[in-house]
Structure formats: structure tokens, C-alpha cells
């Protein structure tokens, strides 16, 4: 499964570690940047990842910045994207099961590498629930 991943300068080192983790777990990680810890503009990378997911190039996206907030705001401007800012495995599970989130956003400043890996694992393995959740998600797309 292909996963689009991107970060700004604040998330660069964590992104690099998450890419290695994804590869180890058998995923194909496609890196949309940034390629260094030099200052950059997070909207550029959020848009690239969101577009890759929206057009079907990648099944899921992962975006990392200082707080995760900016990335989620930008990604959610793309039609078909349901980006969720997650701070725990529990929020990642609910984002997937209830909201059918397809882009995971998180903070490089407030999560450890191990916490981030747990969140990624939960997000990528939690199935979408149907029923009332599908009805609600359909209203997002309307």
C-alpha cells in the first residue's frame, strides 16, 4: 500500500523516521518533501500530499509539522480529503472508524517518535465503520 508523506522543517526528522518505520512495516512511502530541516512553507507540502491521496495515487497521507494544525487546515481544503489531527492512538482509531479520515496529521513538537509510530500504526490498520458513520461522512462530501 502506498502512503504519501510530507512535512515542513519542524517535522523533517520525524518524517524521516516514520518513512523508515513504514518501509519496515511493508508500506511504500512516497516522500513529497521537504528534504531538509531548512525553513520552508508547510502549505506547499500539505497540498502535494493531499493531491496524491485525492487523485488515488496514494491510499493514505501523513503530514507532520510543528503542531499538525497548519497541515490539517491546508489538506482539508482539497476535495475528497478528510485530514485528522491526531494526538493519540485513540484519536487515530476514531478518526478512521468514525470519520473515515484518509490523511493523518500530527505534531513533531509534542509527540515522541514511539508515540508517532503507534498513531501511524493505528491509523493505517483501523477499518472504517459503516452505518451511521457512513451517513455522516456522506454529508461531508455533499
Amino acid at each position: 500500500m502506498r502512503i504519501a508523506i510530507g512535512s515542513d522543517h519542524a517535522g523533517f526528522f520525524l518524517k524521516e523516521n516514520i518513512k523508515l518505520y513504514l518501509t519496515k512495516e511493508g508500506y511504500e512511502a512516497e516522500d513529497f518533501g521537504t528534504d531538509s530541516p531548512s525553513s520552508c512553507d508547510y502549505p506547499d507540502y500539505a497540498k502535494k500530499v493531499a493531491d496524491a491521496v485525492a487523485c488515488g495515487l496514494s491510499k493514505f497521507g501523513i503530514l507532520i509539522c510543528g503542531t499538525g494544525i497548519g497541515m490539517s487546515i491546508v489538506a482539508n481544503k482539497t476535495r475528497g480529503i478528510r485530514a485528522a489531527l491526531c494526538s493519540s492512538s485513540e484519536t487515530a482509531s476514531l478518526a478512521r472508524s468514525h470519520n473515515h479520515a484518509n490523511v493523518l496529521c500530527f505534531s513533531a513538537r509534542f509527540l515522541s517518535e514511539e508515540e508517532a509510530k503507534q498513531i501511524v500504526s493505528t491509523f493505517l490498520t483501523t477499518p472504517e465503520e459503516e452505518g451511521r458513520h457512513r451517513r455522516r461522512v456522506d454529508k461531508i462530501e455533499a
Side-chain angles (χ1 to χ4, degrees), residues 3-107:
I3 311 298
I5 189 167
S7 74
D8 69 356
H9 54 281
F12 173 73
F13 292 112
L14 184 54
K15 175 183 62 90
E16 294 299 304
N17 289 328
I18 294 299
K19 276 185 356 190
L20 292 173
Y21 171 74
L22 289 170
T23 301
K24 179 179 160 255
E25 293 299 310
Y27 296 101
E28 180 185 346
E30 184 168 2
D31 189 345
F32 286 87
T34 189
D35 59 1
S36 81
S38 298
S39 184
C40 63
D41 298 333
Y42 65 86
D44 299 338
Y45 305 102
K47 181 73 172 129
K48 289 177 184 180
V49 168
D51 286 346
V53 175
C55 78
L57 181 64
S58 298
K59 179 159 176 75
F60 294 112
I62 298 172
L63 291 167
I64 310 163
C65 67
T67 63
I69 296 168
M71 291 291 202
S72 63
I73 290 169
V74 174
N76 277 315
K77 291 181 173 279
T78 301
R79 185 163 181 74
I81 295 302
R82 291 174 305 282
L85 174 60
C86 297
S87 58
S88 67
S89 290
E90 293 80 12
T91 57
S93 176
L94 291 170
R96 284 287 303 131
S97 62
H98 290 193
N99 307 116
H100 301 191
N102 53 10
V103 174
L104 169 64
C105 303
F106 57 86
S107 167

